[in-house]
Each structure stands twice: as C-alpha cells, then as structure tokens.
Amino acid sequence: MYISENTIRRMLKDAGAMRVSDDAVKEFRKHLEKRSFEIAQKSVRLSKHAKRKTVDSSDIRLAIN
C-alpha cells in the first residue's frame, strides 16, 4: 500500500469527520490508491508521447483532466 491508514484517517478528519471507522479508511484508501495509480500511468504515457523521460506537472494536470 502506498498511502498509510493514518494519512487517510487524518485526511478525513481534516475534512470534518469527528470519527472514522476502520472500514471507511480501508475503502477510501482503496479508491484513492486506484485513482492515483491510474493518474500516474496516464502521466507516464503522456511524458513518453512527448518523448521525455521526466514526468512533469503538465503531464499530471493533463492526466487528471
């Protein structure tokens, strides 16, 4: 796993949650990691298409949109 449970719990609490169940942390983490990995893959494809070895912020922005 790439993102720690404490980070997810803190994120949800910062968003206003008073308490966060372990199941909620696991579910949020699963979806967040899946989406993040998809963005990472698309960013790499975009940088390769541009004939670059370095992924830059514009690749990330394009991958998100």
Side-chain angles (χ1 to χ4, degrees), residues 1 3-13 19-33:
M1 301 283 174
I3 304 170
S4 74
E5 288 185 10
N6 287 335
T7 300
I8 298 297
R9 191 175 301 279
R10 192 170 43 248
M11 204 185 275
L12 290 166
K13 286 194 172 202
R19 295 171 49 184
V20 181
S21 72
D22 290 341
D23 288 344
V25 170
K26 289 175 185 170
E27 190 68 20
F28 191 83
R29 180 184 189 184
K30 179 178 74 173
H31 289 283
L32 185 58
E33 286 181 344

Side-chain angles (χ1 to χ4, degrees), residues 24-58:
V25 170
K26 289 175 185 170
E27 190 68 20
F28 191 83
R29 180 184 189 184
K30 179 178 74 173
H31 289 283
L32 185 58
E33 286 181 344
K34 180 180 181 216
R35 180 68 177 129
S36 298
F37 191 73
E38 290 169 354
I39 292 169
Q41 287 179 314
K42 191 170 182 182
S43 299
V44 170
R45 282 196 309 271
L46 288 165
S47 69
K48 286 181 180 180
H49 178 74
K51 297 185 182 358
R52 288 185 278 108
K53 292 182 180 180
T54 303
V55 175
D56 63 21
S57 60
S58 65

